[in-house]
C-alpha cells in the first residue's frame, strides 16, 4: 500500500470544521457515509455496551478491503459521538498504514510494545482530536510470527484499556496471515469487512470460517464499496437530501 | 429506512431483472470502449484506404443443348440434377482465369510492359519478359472476377484504383471473352464433327471394301449368271412375294381393264390399232426400257424405303413422259378423231405398252429369281458367303448414312453458334465508367464495425458477469456468510483511491488502444490482399 499522506489533510480539515462547530464533509449528519458509520456504531453498541471498556478488531478475508480506512473513519465517528477515550491501534505489523495517515513514524509502536522495547507512553501518538489517540504498527528485529506468543496481545490490550475506553485494532487479513487469530482473545468482538464486487465469495467464506473456528465473536459484516456495485444507493438524490437541488428549487 | 428493502422482497423470485440491468450498467465501459474503438477503426479504414473502382459488363448465356445425338452428354442421364448456372459459372471462370486467356490479354494489351514501367526497383529492371508477363498475369487475375447475377446472367468485373483503366479493361475483356467463349463452344461442335468425319472416312472405307468384296466374289467365285443379278439372300423372299402379286394383277385386273379399253377403241376405230409403230418410237422405246429397269428394282425394296420412294417418283415421271409422247403420236397419226376419242386411243396404247413392259419385268424377275435359286441350290457355300457379304454391305451403308446426317446437323450447330442469331453468349450490358468506388464499402465496413463491436461488447459484459464471483448484494453476503450485515459503505471517497482508479483506467485504455493499433495495422496489411 502506498502513502495515504493526503488523508491527514482531510482529517485536519474535518477537525478544523468540527472545532468551528460547523458540519464537515465527514461528519455531515445527513451524508450517507456519516449515516452508515453511525448505524454501525449503534449496531455495535447494541451488542457490546460501549460505555464499558471495550476492544474491537476490524479484519477481513483478503487485503485491500478497506479495513484501514474504515478503522480510521470509525474511530473518528466514535470520537465525535462518544465521550470515551479512543485508541486506534495499527495491528498490521506486516503492512502498516495508519502512521502514513497521521504522518508519524512507524516505530515505536505495537510491535515494539509486544517485544517490550518500548513503553505505552512512547508508542502512543496524540491526535488533534482530544479523545482520539493513535498507535503505529511498530517494528521488530526478530520474526513477526514470534511476536504474538503467550497472550502477549491480550496483556497489552488490557494494559492499554487502563488508559483508553475503546481500543480499535486495525488488524491484518485472516486468510493470507495468521496474526489476527492471536488478537481474538484480546478483543470483545470482530467486524468483518467485505469488499463487494471484488473479493471472491469463497475467500470471504474461508475468512469467516477461520474466525469462527477460532471462537471469534463476529459482531457483523460491513459491506464496502456497495456504492460502486449498486449505483445510486448512496446517491444523495436517492435519499432526497440533495442540498444542491433544494437550493436550486429555492 | 432500509435501502435494500426491494432486494429482500425480490429475493424469493430468484431472478431480478433490475440487478441484471445494474450489473450491465456497472460494466457499461466494457461495452462502450470496444464499440467506440471498432467504429473509429472502421472510420479510419474508410478514410485511409485507397478507393478502388469497379467496371463490369453483364453477359447472358443460353443453355441450349449443343451436344451430339450420337455422343450423348453423360450428365443428361441423370436428368436436371446439376445446377446449370453453377456449371456455366465454373466453365466461364475456368475460361477467364485460364493461363492461356490471361497471357493472351497481357500480351495483347502489353500489360507486362506497363507493369515494368511502374515498378522501378532493381528487381523489375532485370526482370525477364517471361517473368514480367507472369507477374502481369497474376496482377490481372487479381483484378478480374466473374460474378453470378442469377438467372443465366453473369458479370465480368474489373477492379482498379484507376476508374478509367478499370473501365477500358472491362470493355476490352468482355468483348474478347465473348469471342473466346463462342470459339470454345463452337470448338465442342467442331470436335464432334471432326470426330464424326473421321469415323465417316473409316466407315466409308468399310463400305467400299464390303462392296468390293461382294463384287469380287460374285465376279470371280459365283457363276456368270449372278454377275448383275440384283437378287440376293435378303431380298429374295420379298422379290418372290412381289412377283406373285404383280403376276396376279397382270393376269387379273390389268387384263380385264385392257380388254374393256380394247372394246371401246374397237368401236371407235373399227379395229385394234397396232402398237408396234409406237413401240418403235425412240423416245417411247427408251422410256419403256428405263421403266422396266426401275420396275424390276422397285420390286426388290421394302416399302417405305427412301430409295424405293425415290424410284417411285422417277417411275411416275417416266409414266407422264410416256403418256405425253403417246398422245403426241396419236394426235399426229389420227388427226380426224375427236379429243375424247383420241384420249381413249392413247390410253389404250399406253396401257398395252405398259402391259408389255410389265410382262418383261415379270419375265426378267422370274428369270433372275430362278437363276439365283438355281445358284443357291447348286452352290450353298457360295450362297451363304454372298448373303454374309450382303449383310456387311447393308450395315456399312446404314452407318455411313446416319453419320452423314449427323455431320450435317453438327455443321448447322457450328454455323448457328457462330452466327448472331444462334449464339450461346450475348453481351447484355456493356461496362460503364463509374467514379463511385466500390472499396472501401462504407456501409459494409460500418455495419461490420457495429456488429463486431456489439458482439465484442456484449460478449465482454456477459463474460465479466459470468466470471464475477464477488458479492453484489447484501442478501448474498448474509446468505453466504451466515452473518448479519451491520453496515454498508459506499466506496470511501479518497484521493488515493481516485488516483488508483485513474491509473487503472489509463492502464486499460493503453492496453485496449495497443491491441486496437495492432489490429488496425494487421487489418490494413491483410485487407488489401483479401480483395
Amino acid at each position: 500500500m502506498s502513502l495515504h499522506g493526503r488523508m491527514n489533510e482531510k482529517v485536519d480539515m474535518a477537525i478544523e470544521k468540527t472545532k468551528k462547530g460547523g458540519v464537515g464533509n465527514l461528519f455531515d449528519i445527513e451524508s450517507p457515509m456519516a449515516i452508515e458509520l453511525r448505524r454501525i456504531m449503534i449496531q455495535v453498541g447494541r451488542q457490546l455496551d460501549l460505555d464499558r471498556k471495550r476492544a474491537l478488531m476490524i479484519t477481513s478475508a483478503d487485503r485491500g478491503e478497506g479495513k484501514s480506512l474504515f478503522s480510521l473513519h470509525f474511530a473518528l465517528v466514535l470520537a465525535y459521538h462518544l465521550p470515551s477515550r479512543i485508541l486506534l491501534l495499527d495491528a498490521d505489523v506486516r503492512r502498516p498504514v495508519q502512521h502514513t495517515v497521521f504522518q508519524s513514524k512507524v516505530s515505536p509502536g505495537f510491535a515494539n510494545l509486544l517485544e517490550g522495547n518500548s513503553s505505552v507512553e512512547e508508542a502512543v501518538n496524540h491526535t488533534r482530536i482530544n479523545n482520539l489517540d493513535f498507535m503505529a504498527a511498530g517494528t521488530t528485529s526478530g520474526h513477526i510470527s514470534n511476536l504474538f506468543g503467550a497472550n502477549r496481545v491480550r496483556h497489552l490490550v488490557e494494559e492499554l484499556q487502563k488508559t483508553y475506553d475503546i481500543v480499535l485494532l486495525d488488524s491484518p487479513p485472516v486468510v493470507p496471515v495468521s496474526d489476527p487469530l492471536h488478537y481474538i482473545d484480546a478483543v470483545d468482538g470482530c467486524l468483518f469487512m467485505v469488499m463487494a464486487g471484488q473479493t471472491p465469495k469463497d475467500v470471504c467464506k474461508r475468512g469467516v470460517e477461520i474466525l469462527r473456528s477460532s471462537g471469534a465473536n463476529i459482531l457483523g459484516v460491513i459491506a464496502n464499496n456497495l456504492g460502486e456495485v449498486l449505483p445510486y444507493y448512496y446517491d444523495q438524490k436517492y435519499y432526497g437530501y440533495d442540498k444542491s437541488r433544494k437550493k436550486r428549487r429555492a | 429506512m432500509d435501502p435494500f428493502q426491494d432486494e429482500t422482497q425480490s429475493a424469493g423470485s430468484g431472478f431480478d431483472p433490475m440487478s441484471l440491468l445494474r450489473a450491465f450498467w456497472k460494466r457499461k465501459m466494457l461495452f462502450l470502449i470496444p464499440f467506440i474503438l471498432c467504429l473509429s477503426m472502421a472510420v479510419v479504414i474508410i478514410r485511409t484506404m485507397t478507393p478502388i473502382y469497379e467496371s463490369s459488363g453483364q453477359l447472358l448465356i443460353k443453355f441450349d443443348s449443343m451436344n451430339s445425338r450420337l455422343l450423348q452428354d453423360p450428365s443428361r442421364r441423370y436428368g436436371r440434377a446439376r445446377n446449370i448456372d453453377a456449371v456455366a459459372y465454373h466453365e466461364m471462370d475456368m475460361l477467364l482465369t485460364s493461363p492461356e486467356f490471361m497471357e493472351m490479354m497481357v500480351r495483347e494489351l502489353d500489360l507486362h510492359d506497363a507493369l515494368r514501367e511502374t515498378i522501378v526497383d532493381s528487381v523489375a529492371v532485370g526482370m525477364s519478359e517471361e517473368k514480367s508477363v507472369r507477374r502481369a498475369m497474376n496482377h490481372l487475375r487479381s483484378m478480374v472476377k466473374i460474378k453470378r447475377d442469377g438467372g443465366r446472367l453473369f458479370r465480368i468485373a474489373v477492379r482498379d484504383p484507376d476508374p478509367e483503366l478499370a473501365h477500358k479493361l472491362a470493355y476490352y475483356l468482355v468483348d474478347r471473352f465473348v469471342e473466346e467463349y463462342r470459339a470454345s463452344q463452337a470448338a465442342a461442335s467442331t470436335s464432334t464433327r471432326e470426330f464424326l468425319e473421321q469415323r465417316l472416312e473409316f466407315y466409308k472405307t468399310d463400305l467400299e471394301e464390303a462392296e468390293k468384296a461382294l463384287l469380287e466374289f460374285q465376279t470371280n467365285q459365283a457363276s456368270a449368271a449372278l454377275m448383275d443379278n440384283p437378287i440376293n439372300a435378303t431380298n429374295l423372299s420379298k422379290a418372290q412375294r412381289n412377283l406373285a402379286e404383280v403376276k396376279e394383277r397382270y393376269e387379273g385386273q390389268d387384263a380385264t381393264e385392257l380388254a374393256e379399253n380394247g372394246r371401246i377403241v374397237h368401236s371407235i376405230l373399227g379395229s385394234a390399232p397396232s402398237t408396234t409403230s409406237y413401240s418403235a418410237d425412240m423416245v417411247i422405246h427408251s422410256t419403256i426400257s428405263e421403266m422396266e429397269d426401275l420396275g424390276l428394282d422397285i420390286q426388290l425394296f421394302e416399302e417405305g424405303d427412301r430409295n424405293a420412294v425415290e424410284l417411285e417418283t422417277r417411275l411416275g415421271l417416266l409414266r407422264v413422259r410416256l403418256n405425253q409422247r403417246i398422245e403426241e403420236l396419236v394426235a399426229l397419226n389420227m388427226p380426224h378423231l375427236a379429243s375424247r376419242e383420241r384420249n381413249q386411243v392413247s390410253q389404250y396404247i399406253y396401257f398395252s405398252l405398259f402391259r408389255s413392259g410389265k410382262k418383261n419385268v415379270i419375265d426378267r424377275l422370274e428369270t433372275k429369281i430362278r437363276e439365283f435359286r438355281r445358284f443357291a441350290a447348286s452352290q450353298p457355300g457360295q450362297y451363304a458367303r454372298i448373303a454374309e457379304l450382303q449383310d456387311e454391305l447393308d450395315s456399312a451403308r446404314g452407318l455411313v448414312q446416319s453419320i452423314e446426317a449427323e455431320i450435317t446437323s453438327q455443321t448447322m450447330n457450328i454455323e448457328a453458334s457462330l452466327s448472331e442469331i444462334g449464339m450461346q453468349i450475348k453481351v447484355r450490358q456493356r461496362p460503364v465508367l463509374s467514379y463511385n468506388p466500390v472499396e472501401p464499402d462504407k456501409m459494409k465496413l460500418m455495419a461490420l464495425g457495429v456488429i463486431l463491436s456489439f458482439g465484442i461488447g456484449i460478449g465482454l459484459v456477459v463474460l465479466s458477469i459470468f466470471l464475477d464471483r464477488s458479492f453484489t448484494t447484501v442478501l448474498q453476503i448474509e446468505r453466504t456468510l451466515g452473518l448479519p450485515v451491520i453496515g454498508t459503505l459506499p466506496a470511501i471517497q479518497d484521493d488515493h483511491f481516485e488516483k488508483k482508479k485513474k491509473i487503472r483506467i489509463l492502464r486499460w485504455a493503453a492496453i485496449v488502444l495497443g491491441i486496437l493499433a495492432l489490429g488496425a495495422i494487421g487489418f490494413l496489411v491483410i485487407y488489401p490482399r483479401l480483395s
Side-chain angles (χ1 to χ4, degrees):
Chain A
M1 265 196 184
S2 61
L3 298 179
H4 282 220
R6 285 193 190 163
M7 200 60 202
N8 202 33
E9 291 167 25
K10 220 175 178 180
V11 174
D12 282 350
M13 272 166 63
I15 292 161
E16 284 303 310
K17 280 176 183 169
T18 321
K19 277 180 182 167
K20 282 176 194 164
V23 188
N25 192 28
L26 185 61
F27 298 104
D28 183 350
I29 214 82
E30 301 297 345
S31 82
M33 181 71 179
I35 290 170
E36 279 305 316
L37 286 168
R38 267 192 316 139
R39 201 201 309 272
I40 294 164
M41 186 181 77
I42 292 161
Q43 296 259 30
V44 171
R46 277 195 186 154
Q47 295 186 50
L48 296 174
D49 187 1
L50 290 179
D51 290 339
R52 294 173 63 183
K53 288 190 184 287
R54 293 296 183 197
L56 289 175
M57 180 171 107
I58 293 135
T59 188
S60 69
D62 207 349
R63 288 190 197 105
E65 302 206 42
K67 291 182 300 292
S68 298
L69 275 169
F70 172 73
S71 313
L72 176 67
H73 284 83
F74 194 51
L76 285 171
V77 167
L78 289 177
Y80 181 78
H81 286 289
L82 299 175
S84 331
R85 284 182 64 80
I86 291 149
L87 177 70
L88 177 61
L89 198 158
D90 193 351
D92 193 346
V93 186
R94 293 167 200 269
R95 290 168 181 263
V97 172
Q98 298 293 1
H99 67 279
T100 61
V101 176
F102 291 96
Q103 287 186 327
S104 68
K105 288 173 187 170
V106 71
S107 72
F110 180 57
N112 303 82
L113 282 178
L114 287 177
E115 273 192 328
N117 299 338
S118 177
S119 66
V120 174
E121 286 73 28
E122 280 172 353
V124 167
N125 295 297
H126 299 287
T127 67
R128 290 191 215 171
I129 299 169
N130 291 333
N131 57 345
L132 177 64
D133 282 352
F134 152 74
M135 189 189 282
T139 50
T140 172
S141 51
H143 209 278
I144 292 171
S145 306
N146 299 335
L147 281 175
F148 310 107
N151 291 330
R152 274 193 218 160
V153 181
R154 190 157 64 89
H155 294 309
L156 177 65
V157 171
E158 276 167 5
E159 197 187 331
L160 287 170
Q161 277 177 335
K162 286 173 188 165
T163 327
Y164 297 99
D165 301 313
I166 297 171
V167 179
L168 281 179
L169 273 82
D170 176 14
S171 87
V174 283
V175 176
V177 291
S178 62
D179 304 357
L181 302 184
H182 295 288
Y183 309 164
I184 287 168
D185 290 341
V187 296
D188 299 296
C190 288
L191 288 176
F192 191 76
M193 298 284 298
V194 169
M195 186 67 112
Q198 189 173 311
T199 318
K201 291 174 185 177
D202 301 339
V203 178
C204 290
K205 225 172 163 176
R206 176 82 189 123
V208 171
E209 275 167 15
I210 290 169
L211 284 177
R212 272 196 181 136
S213 60
S214 310
N217 175 26
I218 305 171
L219 300 175
V221 177
I222 294 156
N224 198 358
N225 199 31
L226 270 175
E228 194 86 342
V229 177
L230 307 170
Y232 302 124
Y233 267 30
Y234 290 96
D235 197 320
Q236 294 201 335
K237 287 170 199 163
Y238 188 85
Y239 292 90
Y241 288 120
D242 189 2
K243 281 176 187 169
S244 58
R245 262 173 67 186
K246 275 182 192 170
K247 270 178 199 168
R248 250 180 261 137
R249 271 182 207 161
Chain B
M1 178 184 175
D2 186 359
F4 304 108
Q5 203 176 20
D6 55 337
E7 214 129 8
T8 347
Q9 278 168 355
S10 64
S13 65
F15 175 73
D16 181 11
M18 275 309 284
S19 70
L20 194 72
L21 273 181
R22 278 192 210 107
F24 262 102
W25 181 247
K26 191 194 154 197
R27 294 163 174 86
K28 55 187 177 289
M29 292 314 281
L30 218 54
F31 175 76
L32 277 175
I33 289 170
F35 192 78
I36 293 162
L37 288 180
C38 278
L39 282 190
S40 47
M41 208 160 95
V43 170
V44 166
I45 288 163
I46 288 169
R47 292 270 161 200
T48 52
M49 246 179 94
T50 28
I52 288 170
Y53 301 87
E54 189 184 87
S55 186
S56 64
Q58 205 176 38
L59 300 173
L60 176 70
I61 303 261
K62 283 206 264 180
F63 297 117
D64 305 337
S65 172
M66 289 288 295
N67 298 305
S68 154
R69 265 171 292 142
L70 286 181
L71 312 169
Q72 278 219 341
D73 180 5
S75 67
R76 247 196 260 169
R77 227 175 282 156
Y78 307 103
R80 296 177 62 83
R82 288 204 293 181
N83 185 347
I84 295 176
D85 260 17
V87 172
Y89 171 77
H90 287 301
E91 206 173 278
M92 288 175 79
D93 193 46
M94 242 162 65
L95 185 64
L96 185 71
T97 55
S98 68
E100 291 86 10
F101 187 69
M102 284 284 140
E103 193 174 340
M104 207 158 75
M105 291 301 102
V106 166
R107 288 196 191 276
E108 276 176 21
L109 296 168
D110 280 340
L111 289 179
H112 56 296
D113 283 345
L115 188 79
R116 235 188 313 205
E117 277 163 26
T118 52
I119 304 170
V120 267
D121 56 18
S122 54
V123 184
V125 170
M127 216 193 305
S128 68
E129 188 182 319
E130 201 179 310
K131 207 173 170 187
S132 67
V133 166
R134 214 179 309 131
R135 253 175 107 159
M137 274 164 64
N138 286 336
H139 186 66
L140 185 64
R141 196 176 294 143
S142 69
M143 289 161 74
V144 179
K145 210 173 187 180
I146 284 199
K147 293 174 178 173
R148 286 161 76 171
D149 284 2
R152 303 184 300 157
L153 290 174
F154 299 89
R155 193 174 275 280
I156 292 184
V158 178
R159 288 179 169 208
D160 199 74
D162 179 4
E164 280 162 19
L165 177 66
H167 175 237
K168 274 188 222 161
L169 213 63
Y171 212 91
Y172 189 75
L173 262 177
V174 165
D175 277 354
R176 291 291 287 116
F177 180 76
V178 166
E179 277 172 36
E180 275 295 302
Y181 190 83
R182 282 182 191 167
S184 77
Q185 288 295 319
S189 278
T190 312
S191 65
T192 309
R193 190 178 61 172
E194 273 167 10
F195 174 74
L196 289 171
E197 274 170 354
Q198 201 187 327
R199 300 310 290 172
L200 181 66
E201 287 298 308
F202 181 71
Y203 286 123
K204 265 186 174 167
T205 330
D206 267 13
L207 180 63
E208 275 166 20
E209 272 172 11
E211 275 174 347
K212 218 168 100 190
L214 184 64
L215 193 69
E216 262 177 21
F217 187 78
Q218 285 197 351
T219 358
N220 301 339
Q221 304 287 319
S223 68
L226 272 180
M227 256 291 282
D228 48 354
N229 193 343
I231 306 287
N232 54 43
T234 41
N235 61 12
L236 176 65
S237 61
K238 170 77 185 169
Q240 277 176 322
R241 206 161 54 240
N242 281 352
L243 177 68
E245 209 174 281
V246 171
K247 234 178 171 174
E248 192 194 324
R249 206 176 148 176
Y250 174 80
E251 279 158 8
Q253 201 187 344
D254 282 9
T256 47
E257 270 182 31
L258 186 68
E260 177 73 12
N261 251 334
R263 204 176 45 75
I264 295 168
V265 171
H266 203 270
S267 70
I268 295 168
L269 295 176
S271 64
S274 155
T275 54
T276 41
S277 62
Y278 292 98
S279 60
D281 183 79
M282 274 295 286
V283 176
I284 291 174
H285 181 77
S286 70
T287 308
I288 284 180
S289 66
E290 209 174 324
M291 278 171 83
E292 277 171 18
D293 288 348
L294 277 177
L296 184 63
D297 282 349
I298 218 161
Q299 304 306 328
L300 303 176
F301 283 108
E302 293 288 332
E303 241 167 86
D305 194 308
R306 218 167 57 178
N307 293 353
V309 172
E310 207 177 291
L311 290 180
E312 292 276 13
T313 320
R314 272 170 64 196
L315 199 61
L317 287 172
L318 289 172
R319 277 177 187 157
V320 172
R321 204 207 291 172
L322 180 68
N323 209 3
Q324 274 174 356
R325 186 63 193 161
I326 289 169
E327 274 176 8
E328 274 171 33
L329 289 175
V330 168
L332 206 73
N333 294 343
M334 303 168 205
H336 57 281
L337 287 176
S339 65
R340 204 178 62 86
E341 290 166 340
R342 258 205 316 263
N343 251 355
Q344 293 287 346
V345 173
S346 53
Q347 198 181 343
Y348 171 76
I349 292 166
Y350 168 80
F351 218 76
S352 53
L353 284 178
F354 190 76
R355 197 174 140 79
S356 69
K358 214 172 206 176
K359 176 83 177 105
N360 278 346
V361 168
I362 289 166
D363 288 347
R364 273 167 71 185
L365 197 59
E366 264 181 338
T367 322
K368 296 280 183 198
I369 288 171
R370 208 180 306 122
E371 278 172 7
F372 185 79
R373 290 181 104 172
R374 202 184 304 136
F375 167 76
S378 61
Q379 303 281 346
Q382 287 186 10
Y383 166 69
R385 176 73 186 138
I386 283 179
E388 200 181 295
L389 287 170
Q390 192 67 41
D391 268 355
E392 272 174 26
L393 184 68
D394 283 351
S395 74
R397 193 176 285 140
L399 258 172
V400 167
Q401 275 171 2
S402 69
I403 288 173
E404 272 170 351
E406 183 61 28
I407 285 173
T408 318
S409 89
Q410 287 298 322
T411 312
M412 294 288 281
N413 265 348
I414 294 162
E415 277 163 10
S417 67
L418 291 175
S419 75
E420 281 297 308
I421 302 158
M423 63 195 172
Q424 299 293 307
I425 185 164
K426 264 182 192 162
V427 180
R428 194 160 172 271
Q429 190 194 324
R430 295 241 162 238
V432 227
L433 183 55
S434 161
Y435 286 103
N436 296 326
V438 287
E439 290 283 351
D441 189 340
K442 285 178 194 170
M443 284 304 289
K444 203 169 87 187
L445 274 169
M446 285 309 273
L448 202 76
V450 169
I451 291 165
L452 208 72
S453 57
F454 248 85
I456 293 173
I458 302 249
L460 280 177
V461 168
V462 169
L463 197 73
S464 93
I465 287 174
F466 269 102
L467 292 181
D468 188 5
R469 290 187 299 130
S470 66
F471 295 108
T472 48
T473 62
V474 172
L475 206 71
Q476 278 178 359
I477 298 174
E478 288 187 337
R479 274 186 182 166
T480 314
L481 300 183
L483 289 166
V485 172
I486 57 167
T488 56
L489 300 174
I492 295 169
Q493 290 299 307
D494 180 53
D495 289 350
H496 170 71
F497 276 112
E498 288 291 309
K499 215 162 118 189
K500 262 183 100 176
K501 204 174 169 182
K502 268 182 199 167
I503 290 168
R504 209 169 61 214
I505 290 170
L506 280 173
R507 198 195 294 147
W508 272 105
I511 289 169
V512 170
L513 278 174
I515 291 170
L516 204 80
L518 280 175
I521 291 165
F523 189 81
L524 286 176
V525 170
I526 294 163
Y527 192 79
R529 287 171 196 202
L530 283 180
S531 52

